[in-house]
Amino acid sequence: MGAAMSNMTARDVGLVASAMLAGVQVLTPADPIGRCSLMLKQLWGHQKRLSCNDDVNKGIDEYNELHAAKDVEVRNSNYKKLVNSYYDLATLFYEWGWGQSFHFAYRWYFETFDEGIRRHEYQLAAKLALTGSPTEKVLDVGCGIGGPMRNICRFTGADVTGITLNPYQVDRGNELCDSQDTVKGKCRSVQGDFMDMPFKENSFDAAYAIEATCHAPDRVGVYSEIKRVLKPGSIFACYEWCMTDSYDKTNPEHEKIKKQIEEGDGLPDICHTSHCVEALQKAGFEVLYDRDMANDFYGKGGKPWQLPLTPSWNPFTQRFQFNWLGFRLTNVMIYMLEMLWLAPKGTIKTQQMLQQGGFGLAAGGSNDKIFTPMYLMVARVPKHGDSQEEKKEQ
């Protein structure tokens, strides 16, 4: 099929694209026209609220410049600017193309994409040892626009506060919280740096992080800060982005994949799984257990986490954009939107950056499984009189 389509003229490609768009609009609930219209409207309004730079084009150029530095310490020392620039540029694309929960999940054979995403969140929430009381306070570390926060608030009945560095995400998250009566008044987003959070000690009964602390320049630092705001005996559970034991830093292909993920996802560097476990222990947590959920058995007919990022010729899925035709069509469409002033200049460069990240993630999850976005770690804050030092003295 790919070979036949490569001989098509530009007119033929346009006709095929129009027919595909009409088919998706009429035959599926995806509503691509409505969602694209909403995104374009938000994009222009979003440019006025950029916190990293004056406009999208300057923002993406500055972001690319930071990632061009070969020294990881350059990115670590500028992590606030790196992460803020990334989410200034990427948030709208994520919400438009992925949904309100910015994370991955494998799927059992009977699950839709959205069901798999929610179940992945519920599995993490179930590790927090909550009682179901509405007075329990839970912290979402790196909440994005709050998709998981709202789902976990409904699932557990707890009061959930999310923290994110990016001001636009705070505004968008609170806008969505206030628009849903099932969570209004019970969860909210606040702006802040998770390396130095604006909360008092012992403020929360539990905390979780979903694919967020990978943005931290220092894992011990961020885990220590999370421990500071948790009450003694509280549980912290997280999904971490990590390189696995299969990763070989002397393998050029592995290094290319790692760099694509870092550049396409706003990361200073990606740590090995063992580094994260050790960092939790150094921060003072008692690690209860850890495992790579990407290795879970999801049954015959189930779907791996990276599947949405792998190429497909099915025009009714988002995977279509990752084949050569979909890749070209997407970039041509955005280029035309820029030329017609329907999208801000720099939008095409932002999309290309995100697509490269997608290619890296798909390869990292498929080729020898050198990368995982769901390394599960569950840890407890020692109770008073229950520290490792006191245990040794007893």
Side-chain angles (χ1 to χ4, degrees):
M1 182 178 180
M5 296 188 78
S6 64
N7 296 321
M8 296 170 63
T9 65
R11 178 175 177 275
D12 292 334
V13 171
L15 291 173
V16 169
S18 299
M20 287 178 175
L21 178 62
V24 173
Q25 182 71 29
V26 174
L27 300 176
T28 77
D31 186 25
I33 296 177
R35 292 179 69 185
C36 287
S37 298
L38 178 61
M39 183 203 177
L40 289 174
K41 180 180 178 181
Q42 289 178 317
L43 193 57
W44 275 111
H46 175 57
Q47 176 156 255
K48 299 175 183 177
R49 293 187 283 179
L50 289 176
S51 57
C52 68
N53 221 306
D54 297 332
D55 56 47
V56 171
N57 197 48
K58 290 181 180 178
I60 185 63
D61 285 344
E62 185 174 89
Y63 174 82
N64 287 334
E65 184 178 327
L66 280 173
H67 255 296
K70 294 183 179 180
D71 188 355
V72 172
E73 289 307 311
V74 173
R75 296 193 293 277
N76 278 331
S77 62
N78 288 279
Y79 86 95
K80 284 187 182 181
K81 181 181 288 187
L82 180 73
V83 174
N84 210 29
S85 296
Y86 177 77
Y87 280 110
D88 260 355
L89 299 164
T91 297
L92 278 177
F93 285 89
Y94 277 5
E95 186 177 359
W96 169 67
W98 197 264
Q100 295 175 14
S101 293
F102 300 167
H103 64 82
F104 295 101
Y106 61 74
R107 286 157 50 193
W108 290 328
Y109 74 92
F110 53 82
E111 288 181 317
T112 64
F113 176 83
D114 289 337
E115 288 170 344
I117 289 289
R118 286 194 296 271
R119 188 253 313 141
H120 197 60
E121 295 165 359
Y122 298 160
Q123 284 180 301
L124 192 67
K127 305 291 190 298
L128 299 178
L130 297 172
T131 66
S133 169
T135 62
E136 289 178 308
K137 307 292 184 182
V138 177
L139 176 65
D140 182 328
V141 182
C143 63
I145 60 171
M149 176 175 67
R150 288 182 288 277
N151 289 333
I152 289 174
C153 177
R154 283 186 284 259
F155 178 70
T156 65
D159 182 278
V160 186
T161 297
I163 184 169
T164 178
L165 185 64
N166 186 261
Y168 171 74
Q169 290 190 337
V170 174
D171 292 341
R172 180 59 178 156
N174 284 328
E175 178 186 348
L176 291 167
C177 288
D178 291 341
S179 68
Q180 300 175 24
D181 58 6
T182 55
V183 298
K184 187 175 183 179
K186 294 190 290 186
C187 63
R188 79 287 306 155
S189 296
V190 299
Q191 196 275 330
D193 180 2
F194 55 31
M195 299 294 291
D196 184 21
M197 292 188 279
F199 307 121
K200 295 180 180 178
E201 293 183 7
N202 307 328
S203 295
F204 296 96
D205 299 290
Y208 65 87
I210 300 179
E211 304 182 21
T213 47
C214 52
H215 292 289
D218 174 20
R219 290 298 201 288
V220 176
V222 68
Y223 296 154
S224 296
E225 183 65 358
I226 293 168
K227 178 178 175 288
R228 181 186 69 81
V229 302
L230 285 174
K231 297 176 183 177
S234 298
I235 298 293
F236 168 57
C238 69
Y239 294 134
E240 272 285 7
W241 279 32
C242 298
M243 306 310 294
T244 70
D245 289 340
S246 298
Y247 166 69
D248 178 4
K249 64 180 181 181
T250 65
N251 185 319
E253 183 63 21
H254 288 190
E255 280 295 282
K256 175 186 174 184
I257 292 170
K258 180 175 180 284
K259 186 61 177 174
Q260 281 182 315
I261 297 172
E262 290 167 352
E263 289 185 356
D265 294 280
L267 305 179
D269 192 20
I270 308 176
C271 300
H272 186 270
T273 54
S274 61
H275 177 85
C276 293
V277 175
E278 291 170 4
L280 268 178
Q281 294 169 332
K282 289 180 180 178
F285 278 101
E286 175 191 356
V287 179
L288 302 180
Y289 56 91
D290 61 282
R291 65 185 174 89
D292 186 358
M293 287 188 64
N295 294 328
D296 284 6
F297 178 68
Y298 36 81
K300 184 178 180 180
K303 310 296 183 185
W305 66 266
Q306 74 272 16
L307 184 69
L309 302 176
T310 58
S312 170
W313 286 100
N314 182 350
F316 300 112
T317 72
Q318 66 188 45
R319 296 172 56 199
F320 182 78
Q321 67 173 302
F322 292 107
N323 68 52
W324 69 265
L325 177 62
F327 178 80
R328 292 181 182 178
L329 286 174
T330 301
N331 284 282
V332 168
M333 178 186 71
I334 296 177
Y335 177 76
M336 291 177 65
L337 291 173
E338 277 194 23
M339 293 292 291
L340 296 172
W341 291 89
L342 295 174
K345 187 177 180 181
T347 303
I348 182 65
K349 288 187 282 189
T350 302
Q351 170 65 9
Q352 289 171 343
M353 176 267 291
L354 294 173
Q355 283 179 321
Q356 288 302 311
F359 294 143
L361 288 164
S366 303
N367 297 1
D368 303 322
K369 293 186 176 181
I370 66 171
F371 168 82
T372 178
M374 52 186 71
Y375 195 75
L376 171 66
M377 300 190 298
V378 181
R380 184 174 73 101
V381 179
K383 295 181 180 179
H384 294 304
D386 193 30
S387 68
Q388 295 296 322
E389 290 77 11
E390 290 171 326
K391 280 183 177 180
K392 291 177 182 178
E393 293 174 1
Q394 293 175 355

